[in-house]
Amino acid sequence: MATTSSMFMYSLTIQPPSSITQAILGQFAGTKEQQIVTASGSRLTIHRPDPQQGKITTILSQDVFGIIRSLAAFRLAGSNKDYIIIGSDSGRITIIEYLPSTNRFSRLHLETFGKSGIRRVIPGQYLAVDPKGRACLIASIEKNKLVYVLNRNAQAELTISSPLEAHKPQTLVFALVGLDVGYENPVFAALEVDYTESDQDPTGEGFDTIEKSLVYYELDLGLNHVVRKWSDPVDRTATMLFQVPGGADGPSGVLVCGLDNITYRHSNQDPFRIAIPRRRGATENPERKRSIISGVMHKMRGAFFFLLQSEDGDLFKVTLDMVEDENGQATGEVKKLKIKYFDTVPISSSLCILKSGFLFVASETGDHQFYQFEKLGDDDNETEFDSESFPVDPTETYTPIFFHPRAAENVNLVDSIPSMNPIMDCKVANLTEEDAPQIYAICGSGARSTFRTLKHGLEVNDIVDSELPSVPSAVWTTKITRGDQYDAYIVLSFLNGTLVLSIGETVEEVTDTGFLSTAPTLAVQQLGEDALIQVHPKGIRHIRKDRKVNEWPAPQHRSIVAATTNERQVAVALSSGEIVYFEMDEDGSLAEYDEKREMSGTVTCLSLGEVPEGRVRSQFLAVGCDDSTVRILSLDPDSTLENKSVQALTSAPSALSIMAMADSTSGGSTLYLHIGLYSGVYLRTVLDEITGELSDTRTRFLGHKPAKLFRVSVKGQPAILALSSRPWLGYSDPQTKSFMLTPLNYVDLEWGWNFSSEQCTEGMVGIQGQNLRIFSIEKLGENLLQQVIPLTYTPRKFVRHPDQPLFYTIESDNNTLSVSTKQRLLNDSTIVNGDGVVLPPEEFGYPRAQLHWASCIHVIDPVNAKKILQQIDLDDNEAAVSIATVSFSSQEDETFLVVGTGKDIVVSPRSFSAGFIHVYRFQEDGKELEFIHKTKVEEPPLALLGFQGRLLAGIGINLRIYDLGMKQLLRKCQAQVVPNLVVGLQTQGSRIIVSDVQESVVYVVYKYQDNLLIPFVDDVVARWTTCTTMVDYETVAGGDKFGNMWLLRCPQKASDEADEDGAGAHLVHERQYLQGAPNRATLMCHYYPQDIPTSIQKTQLVAGGRDVLVWTGLQGTLGIMIPFVSREDVDFFQTLEQHLRSEDAPLAGRDHLIYRSYYVPVKGVIDGDLCERYALLPNDKKQMIAGELDRSVREIERKISDMRTRVAY
C-alpha cells in the first residue's frame, strides 16, 4: 500500500453477505448428524439443522478472502466424515475439513493448477465428485478439465494425486456431474458445445446448426488417465444435469433438463423424455415454456426420487419406473419417466434434503427456508404424467401438460434464516428518538420483497410480566441448599420492607422463611451447604436450616450502606466508611474478622468474586468510594483487608462485579473486574489473580443513568447484565470468545438478577417500574434485530419525509402483469371453473408477461403503525425509476414528492417510448399522497434531486433544472455534462456531483446569475457508478458495479476557482483537457469489498460515535469505512495486516493483497475483517506477531476491538 496516501480508511463488515450461491449437505463433523455448508460470496458457513426443534443454527462462518465459485462434499470409501472441496478464484483446488473440537475449518490440501481470477479457461467454475469419493473433476467454462484422484495413505490421511488432463479446445461446458457407477471406473458427464465450425463460418449458418452434446469422461484407475468415452447430441436448450443413482440403487445415467423438457439419458439405455408441466390459470400465458433452475436427488432404502424446481418456484417430483422380470424384481432397465406437481417454495439456488425429513431451500432472494416433509406426495390426487405420451426427438410436436398450483400440502415451513439479499437501498436515521440510530433498508425481489428496520441489540424472549403491589427497589433469587438445581425464592426489597415469593407451579408469597420483612434488603445469598443470609441496613440475618436465626447487629448510630456476598464470605460497608468482613467457619457460622478497615470516603459499592473451584475463599474484595476510586483489598488470611491496588475513575463507581469469563487472549478464562459509574460509563478491567493488579481497561458509554451490574448466566456461560438508560449484556462471543457488549431489545430495567426454574432453566428476573419481569435470551449470534414490512414489487429506491418518520418507496417488476391487466383477465367471462383462483403472490409469484411492467409507490410508517399506509399503482405500462422530495421556493418552500417514470422500458438493449415526472403533494403530515400533475420528458429521468428550491433532473445525458408550474414542470436550465447517462446526483451549495453510468463522476457548478451549469472536474478512470455520496465539499465516495469502492477528491485550486464570485466566463472558456473537463479528480482510496455497493452514506452508528461511511452491498452486506485519526494507528494496523497476510493465509489459497486489489491496487484502506481474525489465531502465533509489533497480545486485541466498538457494533 502506498504510504504516501494522505487519507486512510479501516474497512469493517457489520453484517456479512447473506445470499447463498451454493449449499451442500454432508456429515462434516464425522458424526451421524448432517450439516449444511453454504457459500455466500467470499464466506463459507456451516449450519447445524436441529431436527428436534425444527431450527437451523449457524456454527461457524469464515471469510476465505476469495470468491467461492463451486463447492462439493466427498467422503472416502469406508469413512464417516465428509470433506469439502472448494473451487475458487485462486487458481487452486482446496480441500478442507471441519474440526468440531476447535470449531474451525482446517485446510488439508492446496493444489495450484492455473492463474488466479475468474477466467473462462481456468478451472474452478464446475466441480463434480465421484459418489464413492475416489476422484473429483474440476472444469472451466471453456477447454480445460482436470481430474484429481483422492485416496488414503498408510496413516489414513487424505492424499490427492497430481492432476490428469481432459482438455478439449474450443468447447464450452454448460453443466457437469459425477455419474453413479458403483465401484466401476469413475465417470463424469458434461453438457458441451463445440463451437469450432461456428467460429469459422462468417455466414452464421454454422451457429444455427450447432449441436449440444452429452459427453462421458471415464477415469481409468488402472492406467491412470482420462478418456472421452461416449458422446451423444441432446436438446440444444439443455442447461442442467442431475445424477441418477447407479450400482445396486438404480440404473445410473443422468437427467438432462432443458426448456420445457426433462430427458433421461445413459450410454446403454433408451432415452425417455417428458415435458415440464405449465401452470393453468386465467392470468397465465399457456404458451410460456418453463425450464428447471435447481433440484435435488434423494435416495431412500430401495427407492429414489428427484425434486426439480421451475423458474416459478414450483417443485416437481420426478421418478423412474423400472422394467420388472417375471419374478417381479426390478431389472437395470428403465421403463418410463414420471413427473407430477409436488409443492411451491421460493425460487432457490440450491435445494438440500436431509435424512431427518427436512428440506433446506437456499432462496435466490429473501429469507432462506427450512421445511419439514409431511408426506412425499404419493397419495394425493395430482395428475401424474409419464414419458410414454411424449416423443424422444426434441423437434417433434407434443401437447403441453398443465397443472393447478395449490397451497403446500407436502412440506411445512418450520424455520427461516433471515437474509437481506438483495439490498437495493438503505438509509441510516434516528426516527425513534433512541440513543443510537436505526438502519432502514429495502430488500428482496418480486412479491417476497421487504422493508426492513435494523436495530443493534439481542432478541429477548419475554416469559412473565406481572404487576406488584408497590414499586420495588431490588430483586434477588436464591436456592435453599447448595445442591438445589433451581431457585426456590424470589426476594423483593421495598422502601420499608421485604417480600418473599416462592417459585413453584405458581409464584406465591411465603412468610415463614426467616427473612426480616419489616426492613428493606441489601443482599441475599445461599451460604455454605444449607443456610441463607439476608443483609439489611441494621444488620445481617443468618438463617440456619432449622430456621434458627443468628443476627449480627450493625454498630450503634451506624447503618449498612453496601454489601456483597458469595457462598462463603460476606463483606459490608457501614455509613461511617468502615468495612466489616465475615468468613464462614467449619461449623457453618459466620466469623467476623477482628479489624474493621476504614476507607477514605463513603463506600458506594462492593464486590466479592465467586469462590473458585477447589478453594475456600475469593482472594479479593473490590471497594468503590465516592472519591472516584476503586480499591482492591486482599482477603488472604496473612494480609486481610490490605490494599493491593487502586484505580482512579472519571466519576464515582455505582456498581462493581468481579467475575471470571472466557477470554480470547489467554485461551482459557480470566478474572475481570467490571465497573459501572454514576455517569453511565462501563469499564472492564483485567484483575491479576495473584497480585491483584488492574490492567487493560476498556470503556463503553451505556446511557445517561448510573450503571448497575449483575452477574447472570446465558447459554451456560457467565455474562454480565448492565443496566443504564437501556439494558446491555456483556458476554463472550460464541465463535471468537472475544468480549461483546450488546444492548437488549427490551424495556428499561431498574434491577436484574439470575433466574432458574423448571419452566425456564436460564433466565433473568428484572424490575421495570411496578412490574416484575422474567425473560431469557436465546440467540447470542445475531446482534442486529430485524423488523419486516412486506412490499408489493421489487423496491428500487426510497426517500424519507423531511420531518415525519415516514418513507416513500418506488417499486417495479419487469415482465409482470400490472394490477389493471390482471383484473381485466380475471373478469373475462370465458374463464373455466378453477382457473379464476387468485393465488397469494408472496408464495406463488406474480403472473408473467413479456414487456409488461407492474409498478407502484408506497407510503410506509416503520415506527408507529409499522405497515404500508398507502399504495399508488402506476398505469399505462409505466415503471418508476427515481424518487426525491423537493421543496419548491416558488410554492413558499412547500415540500413535494417527485417520482420519475419510464413507459414501455426494455432493459437490454435499452429502449423506451417516453419518460414522465410525476409530482405529488403531501397530505395529513405525509401519510397520504395527492397527485398534482405529470410532465412528459424525452427519456426516463434516472436521477432526481432537490436543488436550491427547484428540481434537478438527470434525463439521458442532460442535466436539467425544473420549477413547479400549475399544469406541469417548467424547464429553467439545461446542460450536457456526461457522455452516456446520468444515474445519480449529489449536491452541496451550488456544487453538483453527477454520476455517469460508465464514466465515473463529474463535478458541476451552477452559476445563478448566468443560469449556467458548468462541468469543471471529471475522472480519469471509467467507473460504472452504482452509488455516490459527498464526504465533504471536495471529496466524493462511491461504488461501482464490479464491486469496488473509492474516494475521489477534486483539486483544491479547481474547487476554489469554481466557487469564485461573478459569472462563470472563466470556467466556460477554460481549455478542455483530452475532450473532458479542464481538471481531473485524484484517487484518495480504493478497495474491493467483493459485493456491489448499492448505497453509501456518511453517518454515525452509535451514540457519541465518529462519522463513518456506511455502505450496503447487493448480496445483503452491511459494511463501514472508518477514517483513521492518527498516523500512529495507521502504521500499527498496516504492520498487523502484513503479518496476518502471511500468518493466517486465506483458506482457499487466494493472495489477500491481490484479492483486495482485484481491479485497481488497494490504496489507503486497511482490511479490518482480516485484522479481526487475529483473535482466532493460535496463541503462539499471537505472541509472535505481538513480539514483532512490540506490544502485548491484550493491547493488540484491545486496539482491534476499539476500532469497531467506538463507531459500530
Side-chain angles (χ1 to χ4, degrees):
M1 192 188 298
T3 40
T4 50
S5 290
S6 58
M7 184 169 189
F8 281 89
M9 307 292 272
Y10 184 79
S11 160
L12 272 181
T13 305
I14 292 180
Q15 178 176 291
S18 51
S19 74
I20 295 179
T21 47
Q22 197 182 344
I24 57 170
L25 191 63
Q27 297 170 358
F28 301 109
T31 57
K32 282 270 175 25
E33 191 178 67
Q34 287 181 306
Q35 289 88 21
I36 298 168
V37 169
T38 59
S40 318
S42 65
R43 265 194 173 320
L44 195 65
T45 310
I46 182 161
H47 307 268
R48 178 175 163 264
D50 186 340
Q52 274 75 40
Q53 296 186 323
K55 288 214 168 359
I56 188 161
T57 48
T58 303
I59 318 177
L60 172 65
S61 180
Q62 181 173 338
D63 199 327
V64 303
F65 300 110
I67 298 167
I68 301 172
R69 300 166 72 185
S70 52
L71 284 178
F74 82 96
R75 178 189 309 195
L76 290 170
S79 98
N80 59 353
K81 179 166 187 170
D82 285 331
Y83 297 101
I84 305 163
I85 307 184
I86 305 175
S88 70
D89 61 345
S90 61
R92 299 161 160 188
I93 186 168
T94 316
I95 301 185
I96 63 169
E97 68 171 328
Y98 170 65
L99 302 173
S101 54
T102 54
N103 193 23
R104 296 277 184 276
F105 288 122
S106 150
R107 187 167 71 204
L108 302 174
H109 287 288
L110 184 66
E111 298 292 321
T112 309
F113 52 67
K115 291 179 176 172
S116 64
I118 294 179
R119 308 161 192 257
R120 65 185 211 181
V121 291
I122 301 294
Q125 187 65 33
Y126 301 107
L127 186 56
V129 173
D130 170 56
K132 297 286 184 231
R134 297 168 297 171
C136 72
L137 189 152
I138 188 164
S140 58
I141 291 175
E142 187 181 331
K143 184 182 170 190
N144 293 330
K145 293 185 193 66
L146 297 171
V147 176
Y148 286 92
V149 180
L150 306 163
N151 213 327
R152 284 196 186 90
N153 63 10
Q155 286 77 43
E157 291 164 349
L158 173 73
T159 58
I160 186 166
S161 70
S162 49
L164 305 170
E165 296 182 357
H167 302 338
K168 186 159 190 288
Q170 298 190 313
T171 303
L172 298 172
V173 179
F174 286 82
L176 180 73
V177 69
L179 239 64
D180 189 345
V181 289
Y183 281 105
E184 291 174 17
N185 278 336
V187 177
F188 298 95
L191 275 181
E192 296 184 353
V193 165
D194 186 338
Y195 64 81
T196 317
E197 289 171 22
S198 160
D199 216 24
Q200 292 161 357
D201 178 12
T203 62
E205 282 173 24
F207 176 73
D208 296 331
T209 58
I210 211 164
E211 274 190 342
K212 191 173 276 186
S213 320
L214 174 65
V215 184
Y216 279 9
Y217 289 93
E218 182 180 15
L219 163 67
D220 192 321
L221 289 169
L223 299 171
N224 206 23
H225 73 125
V226 184
V227 289
R228 193 182 165 103
K229 184 183 177 187
W230 176 75
S231 168
D232 206 29
V234 292
D235 180 10
R236 188 163 167 187
T237 61
T239 52
M240 291 194 92
L241 293 177
F242 291 99
Q243 168 199 69
V244 176
D249 302 322
S252 187
V254 289
L255 289 187
V256 183
C257 302
L259 185 65
D260 204 38
N261 73 79
I262 300 167
T263 316
Y264 168 76
R265 299 299 303 261
H266 193 34
S267 53
N268 59 5
Q269 301 257 12
D270 295 335
F272 293 92
R273 190 155 171 270
I274 198 163
I276 298 171
R278 305 176 190 181
R279 283 188 182 181
R280 191 187 285 289
T283 52
E284 292 290 345
N285 172 10
E287 297 301 307
R288 185 163 77 86
K289 297 178 175 180
R290 312 297 202 273
S291 54
I292 297 295
I293 55 155
S294 78
V296 60
M297 181 269 294
H298 185 62
K299 277 196 281 199
M300 300 172 299
R301 283 211 180 93
F304 63 88
F305 64 90
F306 294 86
L307 283 187
L308 304 181
Q309 189 179 39
S310 73
E311 74 258 47
D312 295 331
D314 299 324
L315 287 176
F316 299 104
K317 182 178 177 183
V318 176
T319 48
L320 293 169
D321 269 10
M322 313 301 281
V323 175
E324 293 179 350
D325 59 17
E326 50 271 19
N327 303 334
Q329 294 293 316
T331 61
E333 202 176 325
V334 178
K335 184 171 156 194
K336 58 185 175 187
L337 187 62
K338 297 194 296 191
I339 188 167
K340 71 176 191 180
Y341 173 59
F342 188 75
D343 265 335
T344 302
V345 298
I347 293 172
S348 69
S349 57
S350 283
L351 295 168
C352 299
I353 297 180
L354 282 76
K355 285 180 183 157
S356 48
F358 289 89
L359 170 70
F360 176 68
V361 177
S363 309
E364 220 167 65
T365 66
D367 294 353
H368 309 297
Q369 313 285 35
F370 193 51
Y371 292 91
Q372 185 165 18
F373 283 103
E374 298 293 319
K375 55 187 204 305
L376 291 176
D378 298 325
D379 49 358
D380 54 10
N381 48 13
E382 288 295 331
T383 322
E384 190 163 55
F385 305 98
D386 63 38
S387 51
E388 288 171 358
S389 39
F390 295 96
V392 172
D393 184 4
T395 54
E396 284 183 45
T397 56
Y398 56 88
T399 318
I401 51 180
F402 294 93
F403 71 98
H404 283 292
R406 50 154 171 78
E409 286 177 0
N410 299 309
V411 291
N412 166 31
L413 182 64
V414 287
D415 195 16
S416 62
I417 302 178
S419 161
M420 294 180 64
N421 155 56
I423 298 185
M424 305 300 282
D425 200 358
C426 170
K427 305 258 184 287
V428 179
N430 191 358
L431 302 185
T432 54
E433 304 295 319
E434 290 174 13
D435 49 4
Q438 306 84 49
I439 300 172
Y440 298 92
I442 45 175
C443 333
S445 69
R448 297 182 72 231
S449 48
T450 52
F451 180 99
R452 300 194 185 215
T453 307
L454 275 80
K455 225 167 97 179
H456 181 220
L458 290 171
E459 195 176 342
V460 173
N461 180 9
D462 216 343
I463 300 166
V464 175
D465 176 10
S466 61
E467 203 173 335
L468 296 165
S470 61
V471 179
S473 57
V475 61
W476 294 268
T477 59
T478 179
K479 304 172 177 179
I480 295 181
T481 66
R482 180 187 291 190
D484 289 359
Q485 193 179 353
Y486 302 120
D487 293 326
Y489 296 146
I490 295 177
V491 183
L492 291 156
S493 169
F494 297 90
L495 275 176
N496 53 2
T498 296
L499 178 69
V500 182
L501 306 173
S502 78
I503 306 169
E505 291 299 309
T506 58
V507 172
E508 56 217 18
E509 187 180 344
V510 282
T511 50
D512 58 346
T513 55
F515 281 91
L516 181 69
S517 59
T518 54
T521 301
L522 296 173
V524 173
Q525 172 74 41
Q526 189 274 315
L527 190 80
E529 287 304 320
D530 50 16
L532 293 171
I533 285 275
Q534 177 193 15
V535 183
H536 54 91
K538 288 285 161 220
I540 302 173
R541 276 175 89 88
H542 183 189
I543 306 159
R544 305 298 280 263
K545 184 181 180 184
D546 50 9
R547 297 287 153 90
K548 275 191 187 161
V549 175
N550 294 344
E551 181 92 36
W552 177 87
Q556 264 186 333
H557 313 307
R558 282 174 276 187
S559 60
I560 297 175
V561 290
T564 177
T565 59
N566 64 27
E567 59 205 45
R568 298 185 58 89
Q569 296 158 292
V570 179
V572 296
L574 304 177
S575 49
S576 56
E578 291 168 308
I579 286 175
V580 190
Y581 168 63
F582 302 83
E583 203 168 297
M584 196 176 81
D585 278 349
E586 272 73 48
D587 63 351
S589 61
L590 273 185
E592 180 185 345
Y593 178 67
D594 307 338
E595 296 167 33
K596 298 184 175 63
R597 165 79 196 255
E598 269 196 53
M599 305 306 286
S600 50
T602 308
V603 177
T604 56
C605 48
L606 298 167
S607 174
L608 281 164
E610 293 282 306
V611 180
E613 279 285 311
R615 301 215 171 184
V616 292
R617 66 177 65 82
S618 166
Q619 296 281 72
F620 303 112
L621 171 67
V623 184
C625 300
D626 62 358
D627 57 359
S628 300
T629 59
V630 168
R631 296 172 198 277
I632 302 294
L633 307 184
S634 165
L635 298 180
D636 215 25
D638 311 334
S639 58
T640 310
L641 299 186
E642 279 184 20
N643 218 355
K644 281 286 190 186
S645 60
V646 62
Q647 172 137 1
L649 307 166
T650 52
S651 113
S654 55
L656 295 173
S657 176
I658 297 177
M659 60 192 277
M661 290 180 82
D663 176 29
S664 61
T665 312
S666 63
S669 85
T670 302
L671 201 59
Y672 290 110
L673 171 64
H674 303 267
I675 308 169
L677 304 185
Y678 275 102
S679 56
V681 172
Y682 159 85
L683 297 93
R684 180 184 72 124
T685 155
V686 174
L687 174 59
D688 190 296
E689 296 179 25
I690 294 154
T691 63
E693 292 293 324
L694 295 172
S695 60
D696 186 34
T697 307
R698 304 191 189 185
T699 58
R700 189 82 180 265
F701 176 63
L702 301 183
H704 51 78
K705 290 186 184 169
K708 298 192 183 96
L709 306 175
F710 304 98
R711 180 197 170 94
V712 293
S713 154
V714 179
K715 296 274 177 222
Q717 298 287 337
I720 190 125
L721 180 67
L723 305 179
S724 174
S725 52
R726 64 196 277 199
W728 297 68
L729 186 76
Y731 57 95
S732 300
D733 181 83
Q735 273 189 33
T736 62
K737 295 287 178 274
S738 54
F739 183 74
M740 310 275 282
L741 191 66
T742 311
L744 301 180
N745 184 33
Y746 204 51
V747 292
D748 299 347
L749 299 172
E750 277 86 58
W751 194 274
W753 203 260
N754 220 19
F755 176 83
S756 174
S757 73
E758 273 184 62
Q759 291 78 19
C760 162
T761 48
E762 267 198 329
M764 295 170 212
V765 57
I767 295 169
Q768 175 231 345
Q770 206 174 326
N771 290 9
L772 181 74
R773 284 178 174 254
I774 298 175
F775 58 94
S776 68
I777 294 163
E778 299 297 328
K779 291 183 183 168
L780 287 181
E782 298 160 18
N783 64 354
L784 276 179
L785 293 166
Q786 301 187 5
Q787 283 180 337
V788 179
I789 299 171
L791 300 176
T792 309
Y793 305 114
T794 305
R796 302 293 170 178
K797 291 202 171 66
F798 74 133
V799 292
R800 186 193 154 189
H801 190 288
D803 317 310
Q804 304 295 330
L806 298 169
F807 286 99
Y808 305 90
T809 62
I810 50 169
E811 298 157 36
S812 55
D813 266 332
N814 194 4
N815 294 344
T816 303
L817 284 179
S818 66
V819 178
S820 49
T821 320
K822 208 160 36 179
Q823 211 46 55
R824 198 179 70 241
L825 288 169
L826 287 169
N827 296 342
D828 196 346
S829 57
T830 58
I831 292 183
V832 191
N833 185 23
D835 285 359
V837 181
V838 179
L839 297 162
E842 50 279 5
E843 287 175 37
F844 296 91
Y846 291 107
R848 306 259 167 190
Q850 282 291 315
L851 304 179
H852 281 257
W853 283 87
S855 185
C856 69
I857 302 165
H858 275 154
V859 183
I860 296 177
D861 177 356
V863 177
N864 304 318
K866 298 195 172 156
K867 63 174 189 192
I868 293 169
L869 302 178
Q870 186 188 9
Q871 174 168 341
I872 299 171
D873 286 301
L874 300 180
D875 298 329
D876 298 337
N877 211 24
E878 277 185 56
V881 291
S882 56
I883 185 169
T885 52
V886 184
S887 70
F888 286 100
S889 4
S890 57
Q891 304 288 320
E892 286 128 16
D893 286 342
E894 187 189 343
T895 307
F896 292 84
L897 186 74
V898 182
V899 176
T901 67
K903 188 169 156 52
D904 305 329
I905 300 178
V906 177
V907 180
S908 175
R910 189 167 178 268
S911 70
F912 42 83
S913 55
F916 297 94
I917 300 177
H918 297 238
V919 181
Y920 296 89
R921 175 178 260 127
F922 293 128
Q923 301 287 5
E924 301 196 15
D925 286 339
K927 291 192 175 97
E928 280 183 26
L929 297 176
E930 177 199 2
F931 178 67
I932 297 179
H933 56 62
K934 70 177 184 180
T935 309
K936 187 171 179 180
V937 290
E938 61 275 23
E939 286 196 34
L942 293 181
L944 300 171
L945 186 68
F947 176 70
Q948 298 184 355
R950 297 193 283 190
L951 169 69
L952 188 65
I955 300 167
I957 58 171
N958 296 310
L959 191 60
R960 278 197 198 139
I961 295 178
Y962 284 98
D963 210 341
L964 189 63
M966 294 300 287
K967 299 243 173 92
Q968 63 168 32
L969 290 168
L970 311 170
R971 191 188 305 185
K972 295 292 181 192
C973 172
Q974 164 173 335
Q976 286 190 12
V977 294
V978 296
N980 305 299
L981 192 60
V982 176
V983 291
L985 296 167
Q986 300 286 333
T987 180
Q988 277 186 27
S990 56
R991 177 169 300 178
I992 304 160
I993 309 284
V994 185
S995 316
D996 181 70
V997 67
Q998 70 179 67
E999 290 290 342
S1000 192
V1001 295
V1002 178
Y1003 287 64
V1004 176
V1005 63
Y1006 176 60
K1007 293 293 181 188
Y1008 189 76
Q1009 298 92 328
D1010 294 14
N1011 196 24
L1012 281 177
L1013 288 162
I1014 309 164
F1016 65 96
V1017 171
D1018 59 15
D1019 194 9
V1020 283
V1021 178
R1023 304 179 196 281
W1024 294 69
T1025 322
T1026 55
C1027 59
T1028 52
T1029 188
M1030 289 184 78
V1031 181
D1032 56 41
Y1033 194 55
E1034 265 91 32
T1035 318
V1036 62
D1040 65 34
K1041 75 167 193 181
F1042 295 104
N1044 298 302
M1045 286 182 67
W1046 29 267
L1047 266 87
L1048 299 171
R1049 185 168 285 172
C1050 109
Q1052 190 63 45
K1053 185 163 173 273
S1055 175
D1056 297 343
E1057 275 177 15
D1059 289 342
E1060 279 173 17
D1061 287 347
H1066 63 293
L1067 289 175
V1068 177
H1069 299 303
E1070 195 166 359
R1071 203 167 113 216
Q1072 285 192 339
Y1073 179 64
L1074 299 177
Q1075 284 87 43
N1079 301 291
R1080 293 287 177 268
T1082 48
L1083 180 67
M1084 302 302 295
C1085 296
H1086 199 285
Y1087 185 68
Y1088 174 75
Q1090 210 272 303
D1091 200 351
I1092 300 169
T1094 53
S1095 77
I1096 183 167
Q1097 60 205 302
K1098 181 178 151 190
T1099 181
Q1100 292 172 356
L1101 279 182
V1102 293
R1106 292 211 309 271
D1107 274 352
V1108 291
L1109 287 179
V1110 177
W1111 64 276
T1112 59
L1114 188 72
Q1115 303 172 36
T1117 315
L1118 276 175
I1120 52 173
M1121 301 277 250
I1122 309 161
F1124 277 105
V1125 181
S1126 72
R1127 185 73 219 200
E1128 183 194 356
D1129 279 355
V1130 174
D1131 294 340
F1132 167 79
F1133 278 103
Q1134 250 178 346
T1135 325
L1136 176 65
E1137 191 184 32
Q1138 280 164 6
H1139 282 297
L1140 282 166
R1141 277 181 185 145
S1142 56
E1143 291 305 320
D1144 185 37
L1147 192 65
R1150 188 86 165 101
D1151 182 294
H1152 177 267
L1153 181 64
I1154 299 175
Y1155 166 69
R1156 288 299 186 202
S1157 315
Y1158 227 104
Y1159 296 93
V1160 174
V1162 61
K1163 179 179 181 186
V1165 181
I1166 286 163
D1167 185 359
D1169 294 338
L1170 180 67
C1171 295
E1172 288 191 340
R1173 285 197 55 78
Y1174 178 79
L1176 299 171
L1177 290 179
N1179 266 347
D1180 52 337
K1181 286 194 175 176
K1182 281 191 195 173
Q1183 297 286 359
M1184 193 206 83
I1185 293 175
E1188 295 278 338
L1189 289 167
D1190 201 17
R1191 294 180 188 241
S1192 71
V1193 174
R1194 266 195 203 290
E1195 214 175 334
I1196 295 176
E1197 292 199 343
R1198 179 166 108 214
K1199 270 185 113 65
I1200 294 169
S1201 83
D1202 277 359
M1203 277 311 279
R1204 185 185 275 272
T1205 53
R1206 276 194 195 140
V1207 294
Y1209 325 128

